[in-house]
Amino acid sequence: MTQFAKRVTAIDISGIRKMFEGAGPDAINMGLGQPDFDTPENIKAAAVAALAGGKTGYTNNAGVDELRAAVAAKLQRENNISCGAGNVVITAGGSGALNIAIQSLIDSGEKVIFNNPGFVSYGALTTLAGGIPDPVALRPDLHLDVETIKEHMSDPKAKVFVLNSPANPTGMVETPETIRAIVESAADYDVTVISDEVYEKFCYGSTKFVSAATFGDNVVTVNAASKTYAMTGWRIGFLAASEEIVHEVIKVQQYTLACATSIAQYAALEAYTGPQDSVAAMKKEYEARRNLLIAGLTDLGIPVNKPDGAFYAFPKMDAEMVMKIVNAGVIITPGTAFGSAGVGYARMSYATSQKNIKTALERIAKVME
Ligand code: PLP
């Protein structure tokens, strides 16, 4: 029998996919964390031009120079982060950025702290790097519990805190005060913050997005074209960090990936430098869907906090109810797929049409009868 590495056998396939198995062919899919929009035409055209222009070879390990510069300019302009092209590494999606950051920062036995429930990759990438996942339960209002996080940071083994706001799976957005407190406490304890900002563009109402790196230089900013520009399959993300960190992460990238796809990098260059109206249009539509879904769930008597960002609602419901809803033709994900503290919740993605959301609510209403 083949003996596998314990780092790998210790992790599980994500629980999200498992829900698809129970659903019929006309099921409405509210289980996926990916935009239902197509990539905007100007971005596709840039990829076609890159292909026709023969941009098909390896690029620098850190990415195409113009794209690194465009991302640095975006971070300065929109996020108030002072950085240059030398601080940016273009990666294979946000996942690639999280991976090379965690691989570079974590030694065997060191801890990565993150929210529970939280995005499934943080714990798995930590285990793959030989580290110890250290999930901290969210407060009952689904926001970060800063005092408990500080206690965990004071552990000498604590090395990294992963911040994710707007958050998957809850849709919660943390206040600037909370983000500042976390970055400053992390600095006190020599903990590096990895700020996963992939949902930055999807903050609703008067909610303002603030980048963690505006509060300290102990922050690795992670972001991606994936959600912002409906480009999940293109696999383009980036990280921005000090040159010291960039020097190390580049080595991991060089030997694991070499570089992000050349053609997709040129498409991302158009995404970050071209017209941004498609992002505004997607945000407007997500916000309308959020309002529709939250009003519908509330009418049905299902307790749910109004999410301020991302494209997820995280209503309270037990595992039996989740299964009944899936069997009634609405795919949703049990909260426990995102960590032990997700028990008693479900994640519903509203990256699906308003028509689908209305039908889903009708089916859930029948289940409730
Ligand atoms: N971070 C969060 C919070 C996510 O929800 C996801 C995708 O679902 C990612 C990172 C990964 O993004 P990408 O598709 O760019 O690898």
Side-chain angles (χ1 to χ4, degrees), residues 4-348:
F4 293 98
K6 288 192 189 63
R7 290 188 323 279
V8 177
T9 54
I11 58 176
D12 240 341
I13 298 280
S14 159
I16 301 176
R17 299 268 151 192
K18 289 179 189 157
M19 298 317 289
F20 296 80
E21 291 155 18
D26 73 333
I28 287 169
N29 194 346
M30 300 184 83
L32 273 186
Q34 84 167 332
D36 56 320
F37 301 107
D38 195 4
T39 303
E41 288 304 325
N42 61 315
I43 299 174
K44 288 188 187 178
V48 171
L51 192 55
K55 311 268 194 201
T56 53
Y58 291 123
T59 73
N60 293 336
N61 299 128
V64 168
D65 290 341
E66 300 96 292
L67 178 56
R68 294 175 79 196
V71 167
K74 169 248 181 301
L75 288 170
Q76 297 213 42
R77 189 177 64 241
E78 297 179 356
N79 303 78
N80 201 20
I81 298 175
S82 50
C83 74
N87 299 106
V88 174
V89 180
I90 307 302
T91 57
S95 303
L98 291 168
N99 182 40
I100 61 173
I102 292 174
Q103 287 284 346
S104 309
L105 289 165
I106 291 299
D107 253 328
S108 168
E110 290 180 333
K111 291 185 173 175
V112 175
I113 309 164
F114 52 89
N115 49 304
N116 174 13
F119 177 50
V120 291
S121 293
Y122 306 142
L125 288 174
T126 303
T127 305
L128 286 173
I132 302 172
D134 187 16
V136 176
L138 295 171
R139 298 187 323 216
D141 65 0
L142 303 176
H143 283 277
L144 294 178
D145 182 348
V146 177
E147 289 312 310
T148 310
I149 289 167
K150 281 188 196 169
E151 277 168 34
H152 283 244
M153 284 180 179
S154 71
D155 179 341
K157 284 191 169 6
K159 192 72 182 293
V160 163
F161 176 78
V162 187
L163 174 70
N164 176 217
S165 171
N168 178 6
T170 61
M172 292 298 133
V173 180
E174 297 303 331
T175 62
E177 293 72 32
T178 295
I179 296 173
R180 177 194 286 277
I182 283 173
V183 172
E184 290 181 353
S185 301
D188 290 344
Y189 292 116
D190 264 341
V191 166
T192 301
V193 175
I194 296 178
S195 182
D196 180 343
E197 306 187 349
V198 300
Y199 297 106
E200 108 178 276
K201 291 296 173 192
F202 305 127
C203 286
Y204 310 119
S206 58
T207 307
K208 291 264 180 301
F209 176 80
V210 179
S211 279
T214 55
F215 298 120
D217 53 15
N218 55 327
V219 178
V220 178
T221 303
V222 167
N223 207 330
S226 308
K227 318 278 175 175
T228 305
Y229 299 104
M231 289 177 70
T232 48
W234 297 73
R235 311 310 304 137
I236 295 291
F238 64 82
L239 68 72
S242 66
E243 283 182 13
E244 188 191 8
I245 291 179
V246 166
H247 178 76
E248 299 303 324
V249 299
I250 288 274
K251 291 190 264 179
V252 185
Q253 169 116 321
Q254 173 168 19
Y255 293 113
T256 53
L257 184 74
C259 62
T261 309
S262 59
I263 302 154
Q265 289 193 60
Y266 286 99
L269 180 60
E270 169 63 18
Y272 285 108
T273 57
Q276 302 295 305
D277 46 320
S278 53
V279 181
M282 288 189 272
K283 173 183 158 172
K284 192 161 169 248
E285 176 60 21
Y286 285 138
E287 185 161 4
R289 294 168 179 184
R290 172 198 69 157
N291 294 344
L292 178 67
L293 178 62
I294 298 301
L297 292 172
T298 307
D299 279 350
L300 291 172
I302 297 174
V304 61
N305 278 15
K306 193 170 189 183
D308 289 319
F311 37 66
Y312 309 107
F314 205 61
K316 275 195 171 148
M317 62 175 72
D318 61 24
E320 194 187 342
M321 182 63 149
V322 172
M323 273 333 291
K324 280 187 185 160
I325 290 175
V326 172
N327 291 334
V330 182
I331 303 174
I332 60 173
T333 314
T336 46
F338 306 95
S340 55
V343 66
Y345 290 90
R347 187 187 78 171
M348 301 178 78

